Amino acid sequence: MANEWATFGADLHLELRGPRLRAGLMDALREAVRSGRLEAGTRLPSSRSLAADLGMARNTVADAYAELVAEGWLTARQGSGTRVARRAEPRGAEPRRSAPRRAEPRRSAPRHVEARPGIGSAAPPPRALPRPSTPAHNLKAGTPDLASFPRAEWLRAYRRAFTAAPNEAFGYGDPRGRIELRTVLAEYLARARGVYARPERIVVCAGFVHGLMLIGQVLRSRGVRDVAIESYGLGLHADLLTGAGLGTPALPFDERGTLVEESGPLGSAGAVLMTAAHQFPLGGALPPDRRAQVVDWARTSGGFVLEDDYDGEFRYDRQPVGALQGLDPERVVYLGTASKSLAPGLRLAWMVLPESLVGEVVAAKGVVDWVSSAPDQLAFAEFLGSGAYDRHVRAMRLRYRRRRDQLVAAVAAHSPETRVSGIAAGLHAVLALPPGTEQEVLRAAAWNGLAVQGVNEFRRPTVPPTLDGLVVGYGTPPDSAWQSALQTLCRVLPPTPGGTETDTW
Amino acid sequence: MANEWATFGADLHLELRGPRLRAGLMDALREAVRSGRLEAGTRLPSSRSLAADLGMARNTVADAYAELVAEGWLTARQGSGTRVARRAEPRGAEPRRSAPRRAEPRRSAPRHVEARPGIGSAAPPPRALPRPSTPAHNLKAGTPDLASFPRAEWLRAYRRAFTAAPNEAFGYGDPRGRIELRTVLAEYLARARGVYARPERIVVCAGFVHGLMLIGQVLRSRGVRDVAIESYGLGLHADLLTGAGLGTPALPFDERGTLVEESGPLGSAGAVLMTAAHQFPLGGALPPDRRAQVVDWARTSGGFVLEDDYDGEFRYDRQPVGALQGLDPERVVYLGTASKSLAPGLRLAWMVLPESLVGEVVAAKGVVDWVSSAPDQLAFAEFLGSGAYDRHVRAMRLRYRRRRDQLVAAVAAHSPETRVSGIAAGLHAVLALPPGTEQEVLRAAAWNGLAVQGVNEFRRPTVPPTLDGLVVGYGTPPDSAWQSALQTLCRVLPPTPGGTETDTW
């Protein structure tokens, strides 16, 4: 009756409930596994087709799958699709490690799942384990070390700014943001990132995505159809542009980075979204000739470069390259954020706009009067103006650099096969893996309680898979958890050249 | 050459620049007046036709006109349209009170403008005055007394919450908002407003408009076409719904308040936006039978009531009527805010959602991951949980009540013709004026440096004008400015019955 390899039945009704679609889908899938409706080994529909069935964004489904792979509920293998993992057994009242509730305990568990749960040296024993909880180790990119948030300094800045704030600061504000903040930001961005910034061109927003959404709306209402994006990047950003009615053709790339030739997708695009200083996630810096080339394209075509400078403050081998925006402030929209340098929880980011866009962006923002809380803006202005921000960035730069050096050394020692690619910058590194091994390594990571993502999770749907690698967010764990996370990472990497079994790939 | 009554020439090019469209339009109009391109007495196009010419929202133009009337640059009279005011003379290098730069000083200034600049007792002398600057007195509704913001208490709450915050609070958060805040909000709203609130149904947002925009998106994507609105209200809210692709038919009203019969616009609407506890701006409370009726409509039609409870904490003659939401939490979306009770600058508001909407609203919000700053949310949770919020609301209730009593007494003494309408609640009152006198009183207010709005500025475009009145925000000025604002208000009201010259109305 229970067909182990059964295709996901059309009669299986997932009830999408709860607060977040992705979380809801994950809950539903977990519950289906837990209850036995989805049995071990069952192949799930592709994220694309499930997304179509559910009327959801494909990335939402793909993200849910990826999370559940990371949590150990599912496995994903090239050529074999996404399946229910062996270990994710029905959770009943029975004690741990007792026989599973269902009658077909390991009747025909796919051999490779049991026999090769991980390719590193610390693979778990081939037996049913209790349900995985939150991963023990987190090396997912995108979040800074939150334990290093400079609480005392921030609180001091907040108190100072709050005490000095005029009454009108508590009222409805200028949609561009507080002038105090825009003034110090202009000075800081010019000094630290080479941005041509004047306060009247700065718009404070509640995160990079808020800024991107506003720009997307403005471009769309100007008649722009396509915003070109890089081949690898955050699906959320592409979704946001799509949601604004824009097409998002992916730019091709070569070993030097993204190709910005007019003969490519740029030819018909009205703007291009780029992580020029530190490509996310691949980690390269756009070479100087291409920096000039993309700005020239914008000049001659009347297009805009949207520069996502998410971690521009963090460069370890040299002085950071200045922002692209400095090359042409009238054609480059600079987008910066405190989410990586300080903390995402503050919801503070900023745009520096070409003069021609200021009015429209502010009108788009002003319609709903969204501004970050005025006391926060004033606190950040004080934090920035007092030098506390510079001190924090310097301290974090040392800390992240040390972690990156430790990562490079540990990988070299444990997995000579694996290459650390990209520039020495930011809060993450890419470990280039032997072709075809990414999914296997990810599965091993999940088995070992390590949350980490593969480069292919960031690949645009239209881009063919040519790279295998891990995106390691070494900024994420607190100091206390860093060493054990690093050790776990090393255990799941291919141990020696040729040490991976390649027969099944 | 200069035709004093010339229709606004098609060859006059307004350059819309600067950060905000409305502000930009105002700047352009001021500049056109200042430079002499628009001469005194010139009739401006209707807000509707200028809006069409400029591709702007009609309300944006109407608001700009209204502001410029309030500032004294323009005059608006029923039947005569909006014209450039006599006093707004070209500002050249010449000293004040010298002859105007142009050759036609007062060649044929419309007599009523010069002779009847205000109908109260403090009308300015009929001569050219220097350009009006920021109004000296502000009785515009919508902002609480910012000078009363409880700084010490808030700072204490912020410090306590900040110090106790877990590291993860600085990360990317739950799009619903911090659980600490949602938990205390649920308790507070149940206690203070009779809201059926559970933390998992609460979504924290960055202001009422943010919440309304999310709901609008969700309703639209569910196929709802129309959201009915009240005959008088904020144009911004209607614009927001329109921007989400929704129609906004206005509900009729009678002397008891808004009519919520199914035979009206409700019949084809999927939702209705209401200020049931205290109609904004007219000031009535929806009678109990109509409260029941609108909820019944929602039940039988499957529609939703969007309850804008912007100032529900402030009632002076009795205990506040509980929120409509308590009648049916599955059909009423409750929207509350700290903007009136505390300060708009905090950007803190909340929705309590029917269970069926939670997932969709959070998905709409989650796409862009907008949350208010986590430290702010935690501070507000502490502020609320410690009782500081209750204490502040109690203190402000006394203060606003006293101001309202003073307003009622002063109006009764100075202008027996004028009636204070609406319930004793909130931060504003409506002064019902003799038919046809609103614009005249507004102009007198502008002459006297008093910023205040007429009820017709809040009238939906499709609703015929039947009411005249002033919307007086007695919560707005700080204590130090209140008495003089009140005195100025009394000076511009009709002084005695029959004292207004009605021949021109």
Side-chain angles (χ1 to χ4, degrees), chain A residues 203 205 209-219 351 361 364-365:
Chain A
V203 173
C205 44
V209 288
H210 183 194
L212 183 62
M213 197 205 69
L214 295 171
I215 299 280
Q217 285 174 357
V218 167
L219 292 175
M351 296 182 269
V361 169
K365 183 170 194 271

Side-chain angles (χ1 to χ4, degrees), chain B residues 133-155:
Chain B
S133 57
T134 309
H137 311 288
N138 187 0
L139 291 176
K140 289 173 79 168
T143 304
D145 173 6
L146 301 174
S148 296
F149 186 86
R151 296 195 186 210
E153 290 267 33
W154 177 266
L155 202 52

Side-chain angles (χ1 to χ4, degrees), chain B residues 316-328:
Chain B
Y316 312 121
D317 53 347
R318 47 164 290 173
Q319 278 296 307
V321 176
L324 209 55
Q325 190 263 9
L327 295 181
D328 193 337

Side-chain angles (χ1 to χ4, degrees), chain A residues 425-491:
Chain A
L427 285 64
H428 77 279
V430 169
L431 307 187
L433 294 171
T437 61
E438 180 179 312
Q439 288 302 323
E440 188 75 340
V441 172
L442 285 174
R443 198 162 62 82
W447 273 99
N448 284 279
L450 171 65
V452 68
Q453 291 169 287
V455 292
N456 285 291
E457 296 182 39
F458 299 96
R459 182 168 46 80
R460 311 297 184 188
T462 57
V463 175
T466 55
L467 304 174
D468 277 61
L470 285 192
V471 181
V472 177
Y474 51 79
T476 305
D479 270 350
S480 59
W482 163 241
Q483 286 297 341
S484 64
L486 182 57
Q487 284 162 17
T488 307
L489 174 69
C490 288
R491 279 204 298 273

